[in-house]
Amino acid sequence: MGFSSSTLAVPEAPGTPRHIAIVMDGNGRWATRRKLPRVAGHARGLDAVRNTVEACMRRGVEYLTLFAFSSENWRRPGEEVSFLMKLFISALEREIGKLSANGIRLHVVGALEAFEPRIQQLVREAELRTQDNHRLTLTIAANYGGRWDILQAARKLAAQRALQGPEALAAPFEEADLAPHLSMAYAPEPDLFIRTGGEQRISNFLLWQLAYTELYFTDKFWPDFDAATLDLAIAEFQQRERRFGRTSAQVKGSSGHLA
Ligand code: IPE
Ligand code: IPE
Ligand code: MG
């Protein structure tokens, strides 16, 4: 990232989503259209990641969550999976210094134990090195699945209750009991979900956390995603009325503090 830190203290514009979550889709088709191997699209996708992180910082977005590799993506050809792993390693090695210098805190969520030890070690180092940064929290979802997340949270809650004894284990489980065990408990739920590449589906991304997120789909392939496309998504988000189950009149009549 070539942006200087002096330009980063931009105050958040009214209506800017605090948390944007993106399914970065269409890398393969971007490459195929150019008669390139699919993996060339993944390499270009990394450039779009850099641009998007920078654009979000400039706009005062506090949390950016990117779906990089789903629980289901292991089903792809071995060469493509191994290219993605190499790309992940080189991105972790090369970008962490810049992320850190720009005040970005990195989190990686997903079943990381499935990755090779080198990746797990780089992730641990990167998270540790950036843990005190506060400008933007960048989360990379890798070997992530929304169902996995809910299941691992339920297992942790059950294990915690079991330690507390049989009475705690028999006590009812509420939403508020499970939520702290979800892998992104450190972040507010996404305000805006963006999926590039033209498909209109969630593909097992943040299932619990997207309950009231505004959804935005664009036909642009991920390598072509840029600040202008991000602004279109944010502009559309700003037109939406978030009612959270209430009526429009109730929302308009409130001072913006809905309980
Ligand atoms: C998204 O692009 C990247 C990953 C899922 C890793 P795709 O690789 O899914 O690209 P398309 O959808 O085949 O074009
Ligand atoms: C979703 O994209 C996962 C990521 C972007 C990492 P896919 O390309 O894997 O989604 P499906 O299989 O078409 O739903
Ligand atoms: Mg795809």
Side-chain angles (χ1 to χ4, degrees):
M1 263 161 285
F3 47 101
S4 85
S5 50
S6 62
T7 58
L8 293 173
V10 180
E12 190 187 311
T16 300
R18 253 187 106 190
H19 183 175
I20 300 181
I22 308 182
V23 176
M24 310 184 287
D25 196 22
N27 292 350
R29 281 165 288 159
W30 180 93
T32 305
R33 290 251 173 115
R34 286 163 179 75
K35 301 198 167 30
L36 296 168
R38 287 178 53 84
V39 294
H42 297 316
R44 283 296 289 264
L46 184 56
D47 295 337
V49 169
R50 284 191 203 95
N51 294 338
T52 304
V53 171
E54 177 179 347
C56 284
M57 289 188 80
R58 289 189 190 282
R59 283 156 186 75
V61 172
E62 292 172 59
Y63 297 86
L64 173 65
T65 301
L66 302 174
F67 203 7
F69 193 86
S70 76
S71 313
E72 291 73 29
N73 286 145
W74 298 108
R75 297 172 184 161
R76 295 194 177 195
E79 310 90 79
E80 183 168 339
V81 171
S82 78
F83 182 91
L84 285 166
M85 295 304 142
K86 282 191 198 116
L87 195 64
F88 194 22
I89 290 176
S90 79
L92 284 165
E93 285 173 345
R94 289 186 199 170
E95 308 289 336
I96 292 314
K98 282 178 268 177
L99 292 181
S100 185
N102 282 291
I104 296 170
R105 176 170 64 144
L106 182 80
H107 278 288
V108 181
V109 295
L112 299 184
E113 61 277 6
F115 290 120
E116 56 187 273
R118 174 85 185 125
I119 292 182
Q120 297 183 44
Q121 183 199 340
L122 283 165
V123 166
R124 273 194 300 272
E125 285 171 13
E127 288 182 333
L128 202 63
R129 187 161 161 198
T130 62
Q131 66 181 350
D132 296 325
N133 293 340
H134 296 294
R135 277 214 180 100
L136 173 82
T137 298
L138 171 64
T139 301
I140 303 296
N143 194 22
Y144 179 88
R147 290 181 179 176
W148 163 84
D149 199 358
I150 294 168
L151 198 60
Q152 68 81 30
R155 286 187 184 126
K156 279 186 187 151
L157 175 58
Q160 185 191 55
R161 292 278 180 99
L163 278 177
Q164 290 163 351
E167 254 176 56
L169 199 55
F173 286 7
E174 309 291 346
E175 281 185 23
D177 297 315
L178 190 76
H181 297 284
L182 291 166
S183 62
M184 290 196 64
Y186 54 84
E189 289 170 11
D191 303 293
L192 173 61
F193 162 100
I194 299 172
R195 182 169 183 146
T196 61
E199 312 294 355
Q200 303 199 355
R201 54 180 175 250
I202 305 290
S203 298
N204 199 16
F205 196 23
L206 304 157
L207 296 180
W208 177 286
Q209 298 88 338
L210 291 176
Y212 264 105
T213 304
E214 296 298 328
L215 307 180
Y216 180 87
F217 299 95
T218 169
D219 288 338
K220 280 229 165 174
F221 294 134
W222 176 250
D224 291 327
F225 190 82
D226 56 11
T229 318
L230 176 69
D231 284 338
L232 284 177
I234 293 176
E236 162 124 5
F237 169 80
Q238 288 167 340
Q239 298 301 314
R240 307 259 180 101
E241 182 179 61
R242 305 189 74 188
R243 291 192 287 276
F244 299 98
R246 295 174 183 81
T247 67
S248 186
Q250 282 178 300
V251 174
K252 290 201 176 80
S254 80
S255 55
H257 298 286
L258 294 168

